[in-house]
Amino acid sequence: MTGTKQSNQMWGGRFASGPDAVMEEINASIDFDRKLYAQDIAGSRAHAAMLHKQKILSAADYQAIDNGLLTVLREIEDGQFTFSRALEDIHMNIEARLAELIGAPAGRLHTARSRNDQVAVDFRLWVKQTALETAGQIRTLITQLLKRAEEHADTLMPGFTHLQTAQPVTFGHHLMAYVEMFGRDLSRIQDTIARMDESPLGAAALAGTGFDTDRFMTAQALGFREPTRNSIDSVSDRDFALEFLSAAAICAMHLSRMAEEIVIWSTPQFGFVQLSDAFSTGSSIMPQKKNPDAAELVRAKGGRINGALITLLTVMKGLPLSYSKDMQEDKEAVFDASATLELMLAAMSGMTGDMHINKAAMKAAAGSGYSTATDLADWLVREGGLPFREAHHITGRAVALAEKKRCSLSDLTLKDLQAVHPAITEDVFDVLTVEKSVASRKSYGGAAPQEVRRQIDFWKKRLAKNRNAA
Ligand code: ARG
């Protein structure tokens, strides 16, 4: 099969023949890196403008190149561009088309750069844009959760440890736990954006260039804070993509936990929430069923993002400096992870926005399982002066008694309780109901509705500031 094709028109000067079909297949990235067309054209336009300002490119050539690049952009956006595998990647596809359009001046665009810094700048621009969009989506989800937490700051629900009823909390308090998690995701993504905000363009193949270029100018034109400082690192670094993937993986893990809770809460056995018809599916055989497919898929999809992170870590591990073709394997994983996270965040915002909260079921469950036992123990410490360990033991006996009588702690009579410990008085009933238990948890960050409202307020302000800053 070798020798039948023409050698590559972009780099084939020393090649007598074209590539084997398998070589073309393994080498070409155009099927996926065409996604970078807008970034590639923006990078080329910034580079050409800089070459012109530095008198490396004549005014006429610059004009021809810039107009030609705009034509290519339009062709791609209008679906009129023919991508060619023989031209390997997006960089050479665009440059070859530019040559068809404007002739000789096209060959001057690649002065003082290489595909190594070109792909580095394209990919950074793409990841930065995606990360900004992710940040926006996380903000939308947080805003949504804050709204629902505010509606349900007083809605009683059982809090769990080991998925066993532990102590009563409110649904608002529970949602605010997720606000904290997604708030950390937001700050992680933003830290990542700040760190990647450096332009590698102008590092050329790996060593910089002998031309009198202005890397600060291209960095600024492309919206980067500054140029990268080391030309070798510029073309061999993919930390920006790895950081995006790690932040995405953590966020996806949070989404999967929330999705799992929605799955549990929407079972008939729990019955805490009901997903809207818009976010459920039916069963083709069991007419009574309403399935939380969107939640299940959000729960599952994190696997792809973890996979993407491991893929890229593995691609980069052990690579010698600077660029190696291995690094072409950086893109598909990131594209897939980004699209996956976008869908997960949208589905979670959708589901939580209109799901119905069954307050009665939550409240009933909040009172089951002797969830106020800790309140009784705390009361014995506070009012009876007992050491906590002893109070814990006495409370255990009260729970055993309630279990025997098949009633809740607050349904035991004073006589029952005094039989367990004589120090117990009528006042104890003030803490044994779920409402009172929750209301008493006024410690900073605790479940008391007033405390939950304080945290909602904190996040509203923080988010408003964050929105202005971004
Ligand atoms: N398609 C390549 C990539 O994505 C572009 C850089 C190629 N550089 C090279 N020297 N072959 O990594």
Side-chain angles (χ1 to χ4, degrees):
M1 277 188 100
T2 40
T4 53
K5 292 171 82 176
Q6 253 194 320
S7 68
N8 188 291
Q9 59 174 289
M10 309 304 282
W11 48 249
R14 59 167 288 196
F15 285 71
S17 72
D20 186 275
V22 174
M23 178 60 207
E24 189 174 294
E25 170 97 33
I26 196 171
N27 200 34
S29 53
I30 189 61
D31 292 344
F32 48 87
D33 69 13
R34 62 173 70 182
K35 247 195 166 69
L36 301 175
Y37 75 89
Q39 290 75 16
D40 196 70
I41 290 173
S44 287
R45 293 186 68 204
H47 184 65
M50 182 279 291
L51 291 178
H52 172 51
K53 193 207 76 175
Q54 297 298 97
K55 304 198 175 17
I56 302 167
L57 200 61
S58 74
D61 285 350
Y62 169 52
Q63 266 322 313
I65 288 173
D66 201 53
N67 290 336
L69 286 169
L70 287 174
T71 305
V72 175
L73 181 63
R74 219 172 312 117
E75 286 179 354
I76 296 177
E77 281 178 346
D78 293 348
Q80 319 254 269
F81 190 95
T82 318
F83 292 99
S84 149
R85 273 192 164 187
L87 289 165
E88 283 184 36
D89 57 25
I90 187 64
H91 325 296
M92 297 205 293
N93 268 268
I94 289 175
E95 202 186 313
R97 178 67 186 138
L98 185 67
E100 276 173 16
L101 287 167
I102 68 167
R108 298 190 186 277
L109 171 61
H110 215 49
T111 314
R113 81 170 183 189
S114 143
R115 274 191 292 156
N116 297 349
D117 59 337
Q118 205 179 342
V119 73
V121 77
D122 290 4
F123 198 33
R124 246 185 224 244
L125 282 170
W126 195 92
V127 174
K128 190 179 147 189
Q129 181 58 35
T130 260
L132 283 167
E133 283 160 20
T134 304
Q137 273 195 299
I138 297 176
R139 271 198 297 264
T140 303
L141 178 58
I142 294 177
T143 307
Q144 175 94 269
L145 295 178
L146 285 174
K147 194 176 137 241
R148 305 249 43 196
E150 200 160 30
E151 281 165 38
H152 292 285
D154 301 280
T155 302
L156 297 167
M157 114 180 228
F160 299 90
T161 61
H162 313 263
L163 197 55
Q164 308 285 324
T165 304
Q167 293 173 343
V169 295
T170 71
F171 186 53
H173 191 48
H174 195 95
L175 287 180
M176 289 306 289
Y178 283 104
V179 166
E180 293 290 333
M181 290 146 85
F182 295 126
R184 287 192 295 274
D185 291 329
L186 178 60
S187 95
R188 250 186 299 273
I189 285 277
Q190 289 175 330
D191 287 351
T192 301
I193 294 170
R195 225 175 346 266
M196 76 174 75
D197 205 8
E198 298 177 349
S199 169
L201 186 60
L206 81 159
T209 174
F211 290 97
D212 177 25
T213 53
D214 183 351
R215 294 191 56 218
F216 287 84
M217 177 179 168
T218 47
Q220 200 193 17
L222 293 170
F224 287 107
R225 190 181 53 233
E226 59 194 329
T228 50
R229 285 161 301 280
N230 180 289
S231 61
I232 296 175
D233 179 54
S234 304
V235 296
S236 38
D237 168 44
R238 292 295 182 268
D239 289 3
F240 58 94
L242 285 166
E243 285 194 30
F244 170 71
L245 290 176
S246 4
I250 297 175
C251 180
M253 175 272 287
H254 291 153
L255 287 164
S256 82
R257 295 180 76 173
M258 188 168 212
E260 163 69 352
E261 296 208 306
I262 292 175
V263 170
I264 295 175
W265 294 340
S266 61
T267 57
Q269 288 74 11
F270 268 75
F272 285 6
V273 304
Q274 198 178 2
L275 290 173
S276 71
D277 287 354
F279 280 96
S280 333
T281 57
S283 157
S284 52
I285 175 162
M286 297 164 283
Q288 84 283 12
K289 288 197 77 183
K290 198 167 170 187
N291 295 328
D293 293 38
E296 294 168 87
L297 287 163
V298 169
R299 185 172 63 185
K301 275 181 187 291
R304 299 167 71 131
I305 300 180
N306 295 348
L309 173 60
I310 299 301
T311 297
L312 189 53
L313 280 171
T314 312
V315 165
M316 298 307 292
K317 178 194 168 297
L319 277 191
L321 304 187
S322 60
Y323 177 86
S324 294
K325 194 64 171 256
D326 308 52
M327 290 162 70
Q328 180 166 286
E329 290 291 310
D330 58 0
K331 293 171 202 66
E332 285 164 290
V334 174
F335 292 158
D336 185 69
S338 147
T340 301
L341 186 62
E342 186 186 331
L343 199 53
M344 290 170 79
L345 283 164
M348 188 52 83
S349 289
M351 277 187 286
T352 51
D354 65 1
M355 77 186 174
H356 171 77
I357 311 305
N358 187 348
K359 289 190 189 186
M362 279 193 182
K363 185 176 174 187
S368 74
Y370 312 103
S371 63
T372 56
T374 320
D375 298 275
L376 173 55
D378 286 350
W379 187 92
L380 286 165
V381 170
R382 218 170 37 237
E383 310 295 329
L386 299 178
F388 183 79
R389 285 293 161 219
E390 198 183 328
H392 184 282
H393 195 76
I394 293 163
T395 304
R397 293 210 311 265
V399 167
L401 180 63
E403 216 163 27
K404 211 169 94 198
K405 297 189 122 192
R406 295 176 172 280
C407 69
S408 72
L409 283 176
S410 57
D411 290 337
L412 289 172
T413 64
L414 184 59
K415 245 175 87 193
D416 289 336
L417 287 165
Q418 282 173 338
V420 173
H421 197 279
I424 297 178
T425 67
E426 186 73 34
D427 291 352
V428 81
F429 291 104
D430 279 350
V431 302
L432 290 186
T433 65
V434 277
E435 284 88 348
K436 295 203 164 126
S437 163
V438 166
S440 75
R441 305 210 177 268
K442 286 186 276 215
S443 56
Y444 185 81
Q450 69 198 72
E451 197 50 38
V452 172
R453 289 202 175 85
R454 182 220 298 275
Q455 304 306 342
I456 293 172
D457 207 48
F458 167 88
W459 272 104
K460 278 187 176 168
K461 289 192 184 113
R462 174 177 269 200
L463 213 57
K465 243 193 248 159
N466 191 286
R467 212 172 260 122
N468 294 337

